[in-house]
Amino acid sequence: MAAEDRPEGAALPGADGRLRCPWGLSAEDYAAYHDDEWGRPVHGDDALYERMCLEAFQSGLSWLTILRRREGFRAAFSGFRIKEVAAFTEADEARLLADAGIIRNRAKIQATIANARVAAEWPEGELEKLIWSYAPEPATRPVPRVLGDVPPITPESTALSKDLKKRGFRFVGPTTAYALMQACGLVNDHLADCWARPYGTTA
């Protein structure tokens, strides 16, 4: 089926002929992220903390803006190693506010440090255990065929958000929590015809 004949919001063919979620074709950076990362299971406290922080920084902005600054974020936040970020001082906060390689939003920077301090108090693996406990059973979720089938929030993301906030995390609203779930493979929101959907199963 030609691209112009496909339903609005359906997967579209890229230059290589593979069908992809439409957003994965909108920029070269998106294509690599869509193909190699988005929706694939992410494990490990530091890795999940990084995704949580980046999704929080994305709030109100384009994800492409964050993606293009990701290496800058990693350099600024010590590779998002929880224990190292938890030890950041006021001098580090001032350094971050002057760093043009990241988004210089004071509230988000402070939340990133505060969230690390919360997670640093937990036993290793506890953050991963908490986040993944909210992954729904794949069989209970309908397979999205067009972008309009993908929800902005779900009962699970709302519950995850409430749990994280109760434990002291900031900038983890239901929409951000759902973006985290999508990015880290807790849910598989690749469209039905997308070539990458089989790689987005939970594990």
Side-chain angles (χ1 to χ4, degrees), residues 83-170:
K83 292 191 182 299
E84 293 184 29
V85 180
F88 277 13
T89 63
E90 289 184 2
D92 287 302
E93 184 179 325
R95 168 182 61 81
L96 292 164
L97 286 168
D99 190 339
I102 64 171
I103 304 301
R104 292 174 286 183
N105 179 297
R106 184 183 298 274
K108 293 178 181 179
I109 288 170
Q110 290 176 338
T112 300
I113 298 170
N115 290 349
R117 289 173 180 163
V118 173
E121 295 297 317
W122 294 4
E124 186 175 349
E126 193 67 18
L127 180 61
E128 175 181 349
K129 180 180 177 182
L130 172 69
I131 291 173
W132 273 90
S133 72
Y134 286 94
E137 285 294 327
T140 67
R141 305 192 77 245
V143 177
R145 304 202 67 81
V146 296
L147 290 179
D149 294 337
V150 179
I153 62 173
T154 63
E156 292 86 1
S157 76
T158 300
L160 173 58
S161 170
K162 287 181 178 177
D163 199 348
L164 289 168
K165 287 180 179 179
K166 180 181 70 177
R167 296 167 189 263
F169 286 88
R170 307 180 195 171

Side-chain angles (χ1 to χ4, degrees), residues 63-77:
W63 177 245
L64 192 59
T65 300
I66 304 301
L67 203 55
R68 288 175 173 170
R69 287 172 169 78
R70 182 160 58 169
E71 291 310 315
F73 274 108
R74 286 173 171 168
F77 286 99

